[in-house]
């Protein structure tokens, strides 16, 4: 289990909580985005929009990007990170989409991004897909060449990929759509009165279902976008995690909920420390590690539960 703190990144043995190593790494305050694991590399977002790569086994620093050469008065924050084809793709708000070589951190290619829209990334071996504003854009992973661009007619929010399909939330229209990557066409698109506009916080997927979090947790079928169940009002939710026959999700207040994965009925609740109430902030969601649920309980305490 790899943990991002304000001044370091820490590796813990998942079964016991024993610390394996700790490496110096300055984070953003109050919250930094979580590290991304790719093989032997731990990709860590750092202060002032830098990226560092550490060895997952030893914590040794492999490379770190230099400070951005900025002629502006703010540090463009890191919006999204994904990895494919031994490249690390980083989208920075109102700044750039950058591709770094994972072995040494050299810039492979870079695309300037302008505009005040949030950015979401998905990647595979052939392309990296950027959702920003109303546009979904595909770039070749190796060269950065533009492959295609489509306007979805809304405001893109969180996305997930399953094979040749990307599922895209539309914040402006309370919609969800399935987009075919092979022919660049929309397979289905549904609008849900139960979902509040510009309140979608996260989207995760299982074999047959999509789980969308806002002020409620919503289960939607992948096949035609049917709404299967919706939870009671919980307050603004962060990212859910699936473990066994339950789905766990915390709100930005003080509650971590367990819901039945097939019914959406509340199966339990745990008290946690309140998180930032601001929208579009990095979260302190739990993760699944084998049969354990790893929960950030407070700013300084992590606990492992066996549900």
């Amino acid at each position: 289990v790899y943990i991002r703190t304000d001044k370091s990144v820490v590796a813990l043995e998942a079964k016991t909580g024993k610390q394996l190593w700790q490496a110096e790494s300055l984070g953003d305050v109050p919250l930094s985005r979580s590290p991304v694991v790719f093989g032997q590399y731990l990709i860590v977002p750092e202060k002032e929009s830098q990226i560092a790569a550490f060895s997952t086994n030893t914590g040794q620093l492999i490379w770190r990007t230099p400070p951005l050469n900025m002629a502006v008065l703010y540090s463009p924050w890191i919006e999204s990170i994904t990895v494919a084809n031994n490249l690390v793709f980083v989208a920075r708000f109102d700044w750039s989409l950058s591709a770094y070589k994972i072995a040494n951190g050299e810039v492979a290619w870079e695309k300037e991004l302008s505009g005040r829209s949030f950015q979401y990334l998905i990647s595979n071996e052939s392309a990296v897909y950027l959702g920003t504003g109303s546009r979904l854009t595909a770039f070749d992973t190796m060269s950065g060449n533009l492959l295609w661009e489509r306007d979805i007619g809304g405001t893109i929010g969180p996305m997930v990929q399953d094979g040749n399909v990307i599922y895209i939330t539309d914040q402006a229209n309370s919609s969800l759509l399935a987009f075919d990557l092979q022919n660049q066409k929309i397979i289905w698109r549904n609008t849900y009165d139960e979902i509040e506009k510009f309140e979608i916080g996260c989207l995760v997927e299982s074999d047959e279902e999509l789980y969308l979090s806002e002020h409620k947790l919503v289960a939607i079928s992948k096949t035609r976008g049917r709404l299967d169940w919706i939870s009671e009002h919980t307050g603004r939710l962060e990212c859910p995690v699936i473990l066994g026959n339950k789905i766990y999700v915390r709100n930005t207040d003080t509650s971590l909920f367990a819901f039945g994965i097939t019914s959406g009925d509340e199966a339990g609740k745990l008290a946690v420390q309140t998180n930032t109430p601001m929208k579009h902030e990095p979260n302190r969601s739990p993760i699944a590690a084998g049969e354990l649920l790893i929960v950030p309980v407070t700013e300084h305490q992590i606990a492992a539960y066996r549900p």
Side-chain angles (χ1 to χ4, degrees):
V1 178
Y2 300 97
I3 303 163
R4 162 85 272 184
T5 76
D6 58 342
K7 296 181 181 179
S8 65
V9 59
V10 182
L12 303 181
E13 188 179 70
K15 290 184 178 180
T16 65
K18 176 184 176 181
Q19 182 173 309
L20 301 175
W21 54 259
Q22 182 172 356
E24 182 179 340
S25 174
L26 295 180
D28 282 321
V29 177
L31 292 172
S32 291
R33 298 204 171 272
S34 298
V36 176
V37 179
F38 186 79
Q40 63 179 323
Y41 299 93
L42 183 69
I43 310 302
V44 181
E46 295 192 323
K47 188 176 181 180
E48 296 181 350
S49 203
Q50 292 180 262
I51 296 288
F54 297 87
S55 165
T56 55
N57 293 325
T58 66
Q60 179 182 355
L61 176 66
I62 301 172
W63 52 263
R64 175 175 282 126
T65 59
L68 297 182
N69 183 20
M70 296 179 298
V72 293
L73 298 179
Y74 72 100
S75 175
W77 60 85
I78 294 168
E79 283 277 347
S80 187
I81 300 175
T82 185
V83 183
N85 261 354
N86 291 316
L87 292 170
V88 180
F89 303 99
V90 181
R92 294 180 173 91
F93 183 79
D94 197 28
W95 190 258
S96 68
L97 171 60
S98 304
Y100 299 97
K101 297 178 182 179
I102 199 167
N104 56 23
E106 291 181 0
V107 177
W109 54 264
E110 200 162 45
K111 300 290 181 180
E112 182 178 340
L113 298 177
S114 60
R116 309 294 287 180
S117 297
F118 297 128
Q119 299 143 355
Y120 301 88
L121 290 179
I122 288 176
S123 63
N124 55 34
E125 293 302 303
S126 60
V128 56
Y129 305 97
L130 170 69
T132 180
S134 65
R135 306 197 72 81
L136 181 67
T137 308
F139 299 96
D140 180 87
T141 54
M142 301 306 295
S143 66
N145 290 336
L146 176 66
L147 299 176
W148 50 261
E149 190 172 33
R150 296 290 181 273
D151 194 315
I152 70 157
T155 302
I156 292 176
M159 310 186 298
V160 294
Q161 182 180 1
D162 181 14
N164 289 318
V165 178
I166 291 183
Y167 298 94
I168 306 170
T169 57
D170 175 0
Q171 299 272 24
N173 298 299
S174 300
S175 299
L176 182 66
L177 60 97
F179 185 88
D180 190 319
L181 293 175
Q182 291 185 315
N183 58 26
Q184 294 94 58
K185 292 184 178 179
I186 295 174
I187 303 169
W188 55 258
R189 179 178 196 147
N190 288 343
T191 299
Y192 308 93
D193 293 336
E194 298 84 355
I195 296 174
E196 297 183 46
K197 294 181 179 181
F198 295 100
E199 291 294 340
I200 299 172
C202 195
L203 182 69
V204 301
E205 55 100 17
S206 65
D207 291 340
E208 298 180 355
E209 295 285 316
L210 298 162
Y211 299 97
L212 180 154
S213 60
E214 42 112 73
H215 289 267
K216 302 169 289 291
L217 186 63
V218 183
I220 298 170
S221 170
K222 283 183 176 179
T223 52
R224 298 300 302 171
R226 179 188 67 244
L227 195 155
D228 286 337
W229 55 256
I230 187 165
S231 76
E232 296 295 324
H233 193 281
T234 55
R236 184 176 294 118
L237 293 175
E238 300 187 352
C239 282
V241 59
I242 300 166
L243 183 58
N245 62 354
K246 301 288 192 304
I247 184 163
Y248 300 88
V249 59
R250 67 157 293 164
N251 60 19
T252 55
D253 195 24
T254 59
S255 295
L256 170 66
F257 300 91
F259 296 104
I261 200 166
T262 57
S263 65
D265 293 336
E266 186 178 319
K269 188 186 294 186
L270 179 71
V272 291
Q273 181 175 319
T274 185
N275 202 359
T276 170
M278 301 298 291
K279 291 183 182 179
H280 204 72
E281 290 280 354
N283 60 64
R284 292 194 181 102
S285 296
I287 62 168
E291 297 180 350
L292 297 179
L293 186 71
I294 312 295
V295 180
V297 180
T298 72
E299 289 183 353
H300 307 286
Q301 184 182 36
I302 291 176
Y305 295 89
R306 191 181 301 276

